[in-house]
C-alpha cells in the first residue's frame, strides 16, 4: 500500500499481518525485553518490513534501533522511516545519495479523539478538514491531517536534527490528486533570510487506513538558497 505513495528509488514493504517467524538481533531484543505482547508484535513485524526493504536495496540485514527522540537509526548510506498502527506495519528505505529523508505514517481511518484536532490543527487546516468531511465523508480528514503532520516531522528531524511542533507546519491538500503541501511557518534549521521550506507528499485512504508519505530528494547540486537553508527546500 505505502509503496504507491513513494518514488521508485524507495524500497517500501508493509503488511497487515504480524509475523511470528522473525529472529531479532540481540540489541533489538533488548529494546523490548519488558514490552507487552502488542508492543512486541508491532516492533518485530516492523523490523521484518525493514529487513525486506534492506534486501530490496541489496543491503545486508542489520539491527534497527531507536535513536534520538525514538527515530530509527539506519546503516550508513541509508535513510528510512517506520510506521505502525492497529492492523498495519510498514517501513520505507532508500539510499542517501538518492533520497535525503523519508517520512511515512499510517493511522486508522477513524475520527480523532475529541479535542485533538483543535490541538494539532491551525485554523486554515481545520477549515479544509471541516469542508472535506462534509463533501468526502468516507475519509477521516481530521485523522489524515494528523498522519500528514507525523510524516512531515518524521522526515524533518533526521534531515535537520531539529524538532517541529504541530503548529510549525501549515498543511494544504489536493483531495483530487492525493497530494499535500507543508509550508514551515517556523524552521529551526534554516539560516537567516532563508526562503520558506516546503515539503510535499502523497496520501491515500484504503483498507480502513489513512497513509501519508514524504520523500525528500537528495540535492546533488545545491543552490545558494538551498545551502543557506541547510536542506532541500522543495520536495
Amino acid at each position: 500500500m505505502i509503496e504507491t505513495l513513494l518514488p521508485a528509488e524507495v524500497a517500501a514493504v508493509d503488511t497487515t499481518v504480524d509475523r511470528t517467524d522473525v529472529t531479532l538481533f540481540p540489541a533489538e531484543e533488548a529494546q523490548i525485553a519488558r514490552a507487552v505482547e502488542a508492543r512486541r508484535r508491532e516492533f518485530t513485524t516492523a523490523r521484518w518490513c525493514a529487513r525486506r526493504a534492506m534486501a530490496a536495496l541489496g543491503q545486508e540485514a542489520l539491527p534497527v534501533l531507536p535513536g534520538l527522540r525514538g527515530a530509527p537509526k539506519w546503516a550508513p548510506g541509508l535513510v528510512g522511516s517506520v510506521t505502525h498502527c492497529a492492523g498495519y506495519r510498514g517501513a520505507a528505505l532508500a539510499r542517501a545519495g538518492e533520497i535525503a529523508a523519508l517520512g511515512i505514517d499510517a493511522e486508522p481511518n477513524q475520527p480523532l479523539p475529541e479535542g485533538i484536532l483543535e490541538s494539532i490543527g491551525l485554523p486554515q487546516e481545520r477549515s479544509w478538514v471541516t469542508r472535506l468531511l462534509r463533501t468526502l465523508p468516507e475519509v477521516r480528514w481530521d485523522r489524515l491531517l494528523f498522519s500528514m503532520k507525523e510524516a512531515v516531522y518524521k522526515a524533518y528531524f533526521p534531515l535537520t536534527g531539529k524538532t517541529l511542533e504541530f503548529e510549525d507546519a501549515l498543511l494544504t491538500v489536493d483531495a483530487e490528486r492525493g497530494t499535500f503541501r507543508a509550508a514551515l511557518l517556523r524552521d529551526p534549521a534554516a539560516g537567516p533570510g532563508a526562503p520558506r521550506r516546503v515539503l510535499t507528499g502523497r496520501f491515500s485512504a484504503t483498507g480502513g487506513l489513512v497513509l501519508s508519505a514524504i520523500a525528500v530528494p537528495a540535492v546533488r547540486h545545491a543552490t545558494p538558497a538551498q545551502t543557506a537553508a541547510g536542506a532541500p527546500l522543495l520536495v
Side-chain angles (χ1 to χ4, degrees):
M1 288 184 282
I2 198 73
E3 73 276 1
T4 63
L5 305 181
L6 292 161
E9 299 92 331
V10 178
V13 177
D14 54 13
T15 180
T16 58
V17 179
D18 281 327
R19 305 290 303 198
T20 59
D21 56 347
V22 182
T23 301
L24 296 176
F25 288 96
E28 293 174 328
E29 184 65 46
Q31 293 292 321
I32 55 169
R34 299 182 180 180
V36 299
E37 183 58 28
R39 170 58 179 157
R40 174 176 287 275
R41 288 198 303 269
E42 69 183 19
F43 181 96
T44 300
T45 304
R47 269 62 194 170
W48 177 83
C49 293
R51 306 250 206 285
R52 289 177 62 87
M54 290 177 196
L57 293 175
Q59 301 287 325
E60 65 173 320
L62 292 171
V64 181
L65 303 175
L68 291 174
R69 304 189 71 86
K73 294 189 296 185
W74 304 103
L78 293 182
V79 297
S81 184
V82 170
T83 188
H84 45 72
C85 67
Y88 181 87
R89 327 292 187 205
L93 276 78
R95 296 180 180 88
E98 298 176 334
I99 300 293
L102 288 165
I104 64 171
D105 189 75
E107 303 288 338
N109 189 16
Q110 299 173 2
L112 281 175
E114 186 175 353
I116 299 298
L117 178 60
E118 290 73 20
S119 68
I120 69 160
L122 296 167
Q124 303 96 312
E125 295 167 338
R126 297 199 299 272
S127 177
W128 61 253
V129 164
T130 299
R131 172 174 52 83
L132 289 171
L133 282 173
R134 287 197 304 264
T135 57
L136 295 169
E138 64 273 17
V139 178
R140 286 306 312 190
W141 296 95
D142 50 344
R143 182 76 71 161
L144 186 53
L145 173 63
F146 178 85
S147 176
M148 291 187 293
K149 290 208 170 189
E150 284 289 306
V152 170
Y153 305 145
K154 286 181 177 182
Y156 182 84
F157 179 69
L159 187 66
T160 66
K162 305 291 184 179
T163 59
L164 295 172
E165 302 297 332
F166 280 110
E167 64 270 18
D168 292 337
L170 174 62
L171 271 66
T172 54
V173 300
D174 185 325
E176 187 172 321
R177 295 183 178 181
T179 61
F180 65 94
R181 180 179 186 272
L184 299 194
L185 306 180
R186 185 184 72 90
D187 187 350
R196 177 172 290 177
R197 192 190 311 257
V198 175
L199 303 178
T200 64
R202 301 179 65 196
F203 68 85
S204 68
T206 182
L209 301 166
V210 290
L211 304 169
S212 306
I214 290 175
V216 180
V219 177
R220 295 179 175 83
H221 301 288
T223 67
Q226 290 168 328
T227 300
L233 300 174
L234 182 64
V235 184

